Amino acid sequence: MALLLSYISTSGDYFSTTVFLAAVTMSVASYFLIPILLGGRSENWKNAPPGPVGWPILGSLPNLSNRFHEDFFHLAKIYGPLFSLNLGLKPAIVVSSPEMAAQVLKEKEGMFSSRTITETIRVISYDAHSIIFSPYGPRWKALRRILITELLSPKAFEQFEPLRTSQVHGVLKYLHVLSKSNTQVNIAEYAFTALANLMSNFVCSKNLFDNSKPEGRMMKERFWELIKMLGTPNFSDLIPILKPLDPQGLKRKTSKVFGQLDAFYDKLIAERIAENEKAQLHDTPCNRKRDMLEVLLSYESNDKEHGLEKFSRSIVKGMLSEMFIAGTETTSSTVEWGMSEILRNPEVHKKLVQELDQVVGKDRFMVESDIPNLPYLQAIVKEVFRLHPGVPLIIPRRTNEACEVAGYQIPKHCIVYVNVWGMARDPKVWEDPLEFKPERFIGSKVDVKGQDFNLLPFGTGRRSCVGWPLGHRMVHYYLAALLHAFEWESPPEVLNDMGERVGLSIQKGMSLLSTPKARLMASVYECYMPS
Ligand code: HEM
């Protein structure tokens, strides 16, 4: 009971104690009968990987906090690199070693290529109609193909280079103005606004956010609220009979926050349709933009069988939603973690600045083409992705079919967590795992691109992060540009507090506030012209 009560207290606002205790009483009273009546597992999970013995109906939920990645890290020390547990009535497995990750995500990839869908995910993905949460199948394939061939192809990526440069240089210029009045800035907010503009250009060829206005900050907070709710364990998902009650109110809260974003997506689509109609009327089709909205709205195929002749409004809005959420928050949070680690480690900071001064000099801003000449920066970024993977449990997968892994049976529709956060902290995987030591990557071929199973911040295989080239590039570019153009002073309590805020992704708990001081020739900041 002590464990149950501690779970109640860690569940915070989202949890209704009364409903929880009612569920416990009901579960103890009806140990055998209720799981069958409630549509849960009616047969025992035979030959399951080792794991904790759970409570009736609640499974291991009372023993967990809402920081699953930490709990799973500790449980892996007891039960090993592949363990099983029941989350409410749902079976789950947790993968915690590179070898086991290779088995699940590579050797048995076909079995593990769908996602676990929750009630809150249904809200933000228009009932799992978009790319991140679509089950593995024709719709997912069509959407992924479009992103890879049309919008995130190497050619398109290079075409967007001037835009990325203009966004980053715009931020540097604005920070220079603030530096004159010794103003403290929130680094993640600036990175977020620039990324949100990159995404809005990618989606609809417009800058929708402005650094000097509060909308960017509001949007960031709204996305974070959603990400937090998406990552909060929800009893409605795990004990199906509770679904209509929404006992933690998570679905209601998500719908409320998401409602404003939904209206924003509707407006973007309506504007584009009106622009296209006008262009058609004036017979000027060549002015049409080839951005994500255009590609999705003009999509046509012969695939009647799967209802994919055209993309429905839900699919188009789902794609907008996922691009904005996936493309902004993860990258800006990684920049914040990176800046924090560098500023806390003066030796690392000094070596990086020396490298930047040598390669870039002090009479211009850094540009993307400098990155290949900055090996220490590259090692730093790998170390940031190792210790602070944006999505600590990747985005939970789900088995398509029952299968066998390492001699154990894994049931159909099992929740699959791969604890990349835990692997980064495991001394069996990394020497001195908790130390921020970029030197470990100097002369090493280990990279974040999904081939090395000890370093998987972007996941791997067919469901790996489709936006990784953009996220990867922007983390390098931002960190180097900010540290090349400014010295930074942060209150020690802000730098020393490396606690996490947890959702589907993780953020630094205490925002990194820092005061920039210009370190380049004044003319460099003056001559920037927005493109
Ligand atoms: C530092 C930045 C980023 C990190 C750490 C990150 C991380 C991840 C992870 C762990 C996954 C799941 C991979 C798996 O299941 O194997 C994922 C999927 C995905 N990411 Fe990212 N991501 C980042 C940036 C981006 C950006 C910039 C975009 C958009 C342009 C994006 C779009 C997506 C999409 C669409 C998926 C789903 C792919 C699918 O299911 O087929 N991500 N990301």
Side-chain angles (χ1 to χ4, degrees), residues 1 32 57-58 130 174 176 215 251 275 316 446 526:
M1 188 52 84
F32 295 108
I57 297 182
L58 296 170
S130 181
Y174 190 64
H176 182 239
E215 290 91 14
K251 190 173 178 188
E275 276 169 29
V316 178
V446 173
E526 308 302 334

Side-chain angles (χ1 to χ4, degrees), residues 85-213:
L85 73 173
N86 282 334
L87 295 176
L89 294 167
K90 302 278 173 165
I93 58 166
V94 181
V95 170
S96 310
S97 75
E99 296 74 24
M100 212 48 87
Q103 281 210 36
V104 165
L105 299 175
K106 190 174 174 192
E107 284 159 40
K108 305 262 159 118
E109 183 180 25
M111 295 295 154
F112 291 87
S113 53
S114 286
R115 302 258 183 229
T116 293
I117 308 298
T118 63
E119 286 293 283
T120 50
I121 282 173
R122 282 194 191 287
V123 176
I124 66 116
S125 65
Y126 299 88
D127 209 13
H129 267 67
S130 181
I131 180 169
I132 303 186
F133 298 105
S134 269
Y136 181 68
R139 187 176 59 226
W140 169 80
K141 281 188 191 159
L143 292 170
R144 180 130 184 151
R145 198 178 318 114
I146 282 182
L147 281 182
I148 287 178
T149 55
E150 297 240 22
L151 299 164
L152 287 165
S153 66
K155 188 169 157 228
F157 190 71
E158 289 319 315
Q159 276 170 357
F160 272 107
E161 192 268 333
L163 181 74
R164 294 191 293 272
T165 305
S166 134
Q167 291 295 338
V168 173
H169 288 185
V171 170
L172 297 181
K173 167 104 175 161
Y174 190 64
L175 290 173
H176 182 239
V177 175
L178 296 179
S179 74
K180 291 180 187 162
S181 53
N182 261 341
T183 307
Q184 210 176 45
V185 299
N186 179 329
I187 288 177
E189 266 174 24
Y190 282 91
F192 178 89
T193 311
L195 284 157
N197 273 333
L198 274 185
M199 292 320 295
S200 71
N201 276 282
F202 175 72
V203 162
C204 60
S205 311
K206 281 182 198 161
N207 272 347
L208 294 173
F209 306 92
D210 184 336
N211 268 324
S212 56
K213 296 193 178 135

Side-chain angles (χ1 to χ4, degrees), residues 105 113 115 131-134 140 144 147 152 195 199 202 319 322-324 326-332 334-335 385 388-397 420 456-472 475:
L105 299 175
S113 53
R115 302 258 183 229
I131 180 169
I132 303 186
F133 298 105
S134 269
W140 169 80
R144 180 130 184 151
L147 281 182
L152 287 165
L195 284 157
M199 292 320 295
F202 175 72
M319 288 295 278
E322 289 183 2
M323 286 302 115
F324 277 115
T328 52
E329 187 49 54
T330 42
T331 313
S332 58
T334 310
V335 170
F385 276 124
H388 305 287
V391 195
L393 296 167
I394 63 170
I395 304 174
R397 303 274 189 103
V420 290
L456 293 175
F458 298 103
T460 182
R462 58 180 77 153
R463 292 308 293 242
S464 62
C465 177
V466 73
W468 83 265
L470 182 59
H472 189 248
V475 172

